[in-house]
């Protein structure tokens, strides 16, 4: 069996990856969709001034996402990656329509919750799918599409939300718009390739070969199948028990995965996304300009990450990204310092925040959801991914809930210093625990990481 010398063409798998990342676009869209219209929603549905209700409109979505992500592994393993995307699009369509037509707060919350369940299934499904259908040589590049699509979704949501103050009931349109890409995702997935890894695990060998041919081109099928067969020592038939993920031989990769997501959330990134406009407001920058700045910083970081992911490698990007985030947080600590004069403090806080978003998008943002499906053995991949995403949602939820309270209680300096120290802890953690995966096939990575029995 001669080893592959040429890399498969990246354009064959490209359309499949793009359709899959539509789920990330929807994910970003629904994260940002209530940002601008929240005031007019609260006026129209009669809970204006009730901060708890406003908080619920934002966080019910996260609750739904936690539930969706808990089941995402079983869904992706049970019905396949393609069906998982359709199951992700369905509640998003129903939920968005519910939110768009509702007259009450309860209806809005039900709609947000349904959308949330779709948002929970999406990230695991797309991370698995992109990892399993892309050729090793461009897996990193395609993995960063996930982050770019999420950014674009956020930006489109903020952009569509602009006329909300002028046109009455415009927020209903904001929800309706999201049903278009969701419908497209559900339909287009019928024509996309199923993950050959999943088909192989189901024992559908001929189907897996056919899909490899669509994704990699005929000359690469044999090599890809041989690689798959190396791993399958016939232990795939038995189901993965939860206990295996928490102790036993897989514990280490699950621990690395969940810790990476925990550190990513505790670095303060979502606090920055949720509350950036208030920081900019105190600096006298109008919120739409601020959101545009944040969006541009996020997008440009993601695009640079896409270009570097398969050249520099995942580990380098993670290290430098967390390090840059720590520095940015320290810049904001300096800005919150009383010795710094007014105008200097404004420049520092705005600059620090933009630098934070940019460095986040370079590595800490896109790398974990790409690296995890790479380091998880195919047997546990979907379920381990589900557990790590759930950790991500729980922490995300609490950060969103507690950030403003902590800011009042501790003050900006202490809170930002805590975020900075989390980022430094992340640098140490990555240095010690993360292995480089660029350009290796999923099988090589698995062999490198598993303790040999």
């Amino acid at each position: 069996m001669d080893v592959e010398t040429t890399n498969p063409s990246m354009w064959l798998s490209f359309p499949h990856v793009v359709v899959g990342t539509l789920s990330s676009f929807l994910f970003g869209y629904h994260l940002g969709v209530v940002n601008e219209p929240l005031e007019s929603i609260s006026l129209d549905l009669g809970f204006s001034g009730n901060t708890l209700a406003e908080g619920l409109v934002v966080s019910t979505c996260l609750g739904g996402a936690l539930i969706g992500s808990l089941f995402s592994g079983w869904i992706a393993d049970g019905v396949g990656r393609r069906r998982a995307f359709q199951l992700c699009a369905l509640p998003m369509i129903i939920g968005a329509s519910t939110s768009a037509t509702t007259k009450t707060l309860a209806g809005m919350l039900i709609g947000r919750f349904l959308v949330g369940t779709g948002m929970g299934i999406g990230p695991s499904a797309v991370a698995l799918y992109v990892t399993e259908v892309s050729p090793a040589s461009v897996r990193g590049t395609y993995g960063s599409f996930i982050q770019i699509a999420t950014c674009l979704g956020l930006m489109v949501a903020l952009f569509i939300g602009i006329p909300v103050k002028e046109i009455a009931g415009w927020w209903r349109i904001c929800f309706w718009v999201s049903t278009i890409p969701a419908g497209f995702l559900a339909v287009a997935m019928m024509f996309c390739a199923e993950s050959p890894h999943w088909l192989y695990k189901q024992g559908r060998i001929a189907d897996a070969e056919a899909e490899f041919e669509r994704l990699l081109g005929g000359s690469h099928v044999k090599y890809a199948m041989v690689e798959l067969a190396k791993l399958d020592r016939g232990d795939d038939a038995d189901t993965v028990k939860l206990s295996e993920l928490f102790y036993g031989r897989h514990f280490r990769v699950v621990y690395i995965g969940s810790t990476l997501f925990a550190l990513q959330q505790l670095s303060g990134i979502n606090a920055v996304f949720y509350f950036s406009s208030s920081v900019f407001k105190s600096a006298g920058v109008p919120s739409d300009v601020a959101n545009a700045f944040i969006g541009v910083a996020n997008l440009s970081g993601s695009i640079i990450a896409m270009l570097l992911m398969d050249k520099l490698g995942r580990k380098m990007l993670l290290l430098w990204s967390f390090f840059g985030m720590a520095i940015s947080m320290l810049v904001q600590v300096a800005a919150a310092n009383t010795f710094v004069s007014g105008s200097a403090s404004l420049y520092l806080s705005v600059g620090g925040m933009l630098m934070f978003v940019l460095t986040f998008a370079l590595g800490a943002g896109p790398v974990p959801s790409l690296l995890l499906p790479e380091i998880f053995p195919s047997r546990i991949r979907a379920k381990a991914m589900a557990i790590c995403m759930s950790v991500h949602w729980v922490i995300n939820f609490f950060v969103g809930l507690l950030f403003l309270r902590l800011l009042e209680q501790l003050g900006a300096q202490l809170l930002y210093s805590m975020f900075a120290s989390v980022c430094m802890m992340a640098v140490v953690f990555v240095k010690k625990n993360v292995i480089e995966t660029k350009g290796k096939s999923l099988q090589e990575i698995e062999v490198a990481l598993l303790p040999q029995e």
Side-chain angles (χ1 to χ4, degrees):
M1 188 65 236
D2 57 326
V3 176
E4 283 293 83
T5 43
T6 54
N7 285 322
S9 155
M10 62 183 279
W11 298 111
L12 288 170
S13 46
F14 182 75
H16 307 269
V17 170
V18 170
V19 172
T21 48
L22 262 179
S23 68
S24 308
F25 174 84
L26 283 161
F27 178 85
Y29 187 90
H30 283 294
L31 270 184
V33 74
V34 291
N35 201 329
E36 291 289 312
L38 196 54
E39 285 171 41
S40 48
I41 294 175
S42 60
L43 283 169
D44 288 4
L45 300 183
F47 57 92
S48 174
N50 178 349
T51 48
L52 177 68
E54 289 183 3
L56 277 174
V57 172
V58 177
S59 53
T60 321
C61 194
L62 301 179
L66 172 62
I67 290 177
S69 68
L70 279 172
F71 291 108
S72 63
W74 281 260
I75 291 172
D77 273 349
V79 298
R81 318 301 193 219
R82 268 175 22 186
R83 289 274 181 284
F85 280 112
Q86 291 171 320
L87 282 174
C88 146
L90 194 66
M92 282 189 166
I93 297 172
I94 300 170
S97 317
T98 311
S99 291
T101 49
T102 184
K103 301 275 191 289
T104 61
L105 173 61
M108 174 55 88
L109 294 181
I110 291 169
R112 290 296 283 165
F113 183 79
L114 282 169
V115 163
T117 52
M119 280 172 68
I121 299 168
S124 308
V126 70
L128 293 167
Y129 187 71
V130 170
T131 304
E132 293 177 341
V133 302
S134 25
S137 54
V138 290
R139 209 170 45 227
T141 309
Y142 282 171
S144 5
F145 282 17
I146 298 177
Q147 170 88 357
I148 291 176
T150 311
C151 283
L152 289 174
L154 261 168
M155 288 168 87
V156 169
L158 295 174
F159 182 71
I160 288 182
I162 291 172
V164 79
K165 305 261 193 297
E166 282 70 61
I167 308 169
W170 179 259
W171 58 269
R172 296 184 186 273
I173 307 287
C174 298
F175 284 112
W176 277 124
V177 167
S178 71
T179 58
I180 301 165
F184 184 76
L185 169 68
V187 174
M189 257 303 150
M190 294 179 184
F191 305 103
C192 285
E194 179 53 87
S195 156
H197 290 251
W198 181 76
L199 289 168
Y200 192 89
K201 270 188 3 192
Q202 301 299 307
R204 292 160 57 182
I205 313 293
D207 292 349
E209 277 182 20
E211 297 296 28
F212 266 137
E213 193 160 337
R214 282 176 70 185
L215 292 165
L216 306 176
S219 58
H220 297 269
V221 175
K222 215 165 174 184
Y223 179 71
M225 290 305 289
V226 169
E227 284 279 281
L228 260 185
K230 277 185 199 162
L231 282 187
D232 186 53
R233 308 197 211 64
D235 63 1
D236 276 349
D238 53 337
T239 50
V240 180
K241 292 192 225 25
L242 266 181
S243 57
E244 274 185 74
L245 301 180
F246 290 119
Y247 42 91
R249 61 189 188 136
H250 294 314
F251 173 74
R252 180 159 171 257
V253 276
V254 176
Y255 158 74
I256 292 176
S258 339
T259 312
L260 266 183
F261 267 130
L263 289 167
Q264 177 198 36
Q265 291 304 309
L266 291 172
S267 67
I269 184 62
N270 275 334
V272 169
F273 279 147
Y274 293 151
F275 307 107
S276 59
S277 31
S278 52
V279 172
F280 281 107
K281 215 167 268 164
S282 62
V285 182
S287 68
D288 44 353
V289 179
N291 284 332
F293 273 140
I294 292 273
V296 168
N298 199 351
L299 190 63
S300 35
S302 307
I303 290 173
I304 299 169
M306 173 181 83
L307 301 171
L308 296 178
M309 192 77 79
D310 284 316
K311 297 195 176 60
L312 280 184
R314 335 290 194 231
K315 190 169 181 172
M316 285 292 290
L317 283 179
L318 266 183
L319 286 172
W320 283 107
S321 167
F322 275 122
F323 185 67
M325 285 155 71
I327 302 292
S328 318
M329 272 301 174
L330 293 174
V331 170
Q332 292 189 35
V333 172
N337 198 322
T338 39
F339 300 119
V340 183
S341 70
S343 58
S345 134
L346 291 187
Y347 285 126
L348 282 176
S349 69
V350 172
M353 185 163 274
L354 290 175
M355 189 170 123
F356 184 80
V357 172
L358 181 76
T359 47
F360 172 81
L362 275 177
V367 173
S369 57
L370 166 70
L371 184 77
L372 299 193
E374 292 184 326
I375 64 173
F376 293 145
S378 68
R379 192 165 152 259
I380 64 162
R381 188 173 293 135
K383 294 183 175 96
M385 206 52 210
I387 287 176
C388 296
M389 287 308 297
S390 308
V391 169
H392 165 260
W393 284 114
V394 170
I395 294 180
N396 192 336
F397 179 78
F398 283 110
V399 168
L401 203 64
L402 300 174
F403 177 75
L404 285 178
R405 286 294 306 273
L406 287 173
L407 196 56
E408 284 168 9
Q409 303 284 317
L410 305 174
Q413 269 185 289
L414 186 55
L415 190 59
Y416 286 152
S417 309
M418 283 160 65
F419 284 148
S421 46
V422 170
C423 294
M424 285 318 291
M425 277 154 54
V427 172
V428 176
F429 178 82
V430 169
K431 194 124 185 75
K432 283 173 71 165
N433 292 295
V434 173
I435 66 156
E436 185 47 70
T437 57
K438 72 161 192 261
K440 297 182 184 160
S441 74
L442 295 177
Q443 286 70 27
E444 291 164 352
I445 297 167
E446 180 163 338
V447 171
L449 267 173
L450 259 193
Q452 298 305 314
E453 299 106 278

